[in-house]
Amino acid sequence: MKRLAYSLIPCLLITLITIHSDPAMAFSGEGRLSECAVDTNCVLVEWEVSEVKKSYEDLLGIASQLPRTKVLEQTNNYWHAVVRSLVFRFPDDLEILQIPNEKVIQVRSASRVGVSDLGVNKKRVDSLYNQL
């Protein structure tokens, strides 16, 4: 019985780690970022700003300088990068979308693996806001 339990534990851990391993690609194409499917490993915020274009450019400059960040896509209104954790190199998707006609910037940070991020994505988004 113990052998069976010890065999199942790694399988369970691998399953939990590989959940949500595909890229987020949360830009819906309808002008907004998608809602978070799992609240324990994702954060989506919307900031109202007075100068959308300047704030968006400033935010991209700050986000691009985050350690272990690789930009995947950048357009006039949308930016998508992967930020990897230091030790285990877990990938998190970081997306920024400006909505000029509403004077809004949306930021979404989501883990690709696991069901919990231990608050890493929220801290990342809060740090971006504080630096902006």
Side-chain angles (χ1 to χ4, degrees):
M1 189 66 164
K2 283 186 180 180
R3 284 186 180 172
L4 179 61
Y6 289 132
S7 298
L8 292 177
I9 290 173
C11 293
L12 178 63
L13 291 175
I14 289 170
T15 301
L16 289 175
I17 288 173
T18 57
I19 293 173
H20 308 294
S21 61
D22 293 331
M25 303 288 226
F27 183 54
S28 65
E30 298 173 5
R32 304 194 86 67
L33 296 176
S34 299
E35 295 291 325
C36 293
V38 180
D39 292 339
T40 56
N41 72 354
C42 176
V43 63
L44 171 65
V45 296
E46 191 170 283
W47 300 323
E48 290 186 25
V49 293
S50 56
E51 297 179 36
V52 178
K53 186 173 176 78
K54 181 183 182 324
S55 297
Y56 177 72
E57 290 172 2
D58 291 346
L59 193 55
L60 295 189
I62 296 165
S64 297
Q65 298 302 313
L66 292 172
R68 300 169 304 282
T69 299
K70 179 182 177 186
V71 178
L72 301 178
E73 181 179 352
Q74 182 172 353
T75 67
N76 290 337
N77 295 326
Y78 176 72
W79 184 89
H80 180 200
V82 173
V83 183
R84 294 198 172 267
S85 63
L86 178 61
V87 177
F88 294 109
R89 312 293 286 171
F90 292 133
D92 293 344
D93 287 290
L94 177 60
E95 298 175 285
I96 302 170
L97 176 69
Q98 70 169 334
I99 308 170
N101 58 341
E102 296 180 26
K103 294 189 174 184
V104 164
I105 293 178
Q106 286 188 320
V107 179
R108 184 177 192 273
S109 187
S111 297
R112 286 189 188 178
V113 295
V115 292
S116 176
D117 66 358
L118 304 174
V120 170
N121 288 299
K122 181 168 178 15
K123 288 177 191 171
R124 179 180 298 122
V125 171
D126 289 346
S127 174
L128 289 172
Y129 182 76
N130 290 333
Q131 292 179 57
L132 182 63

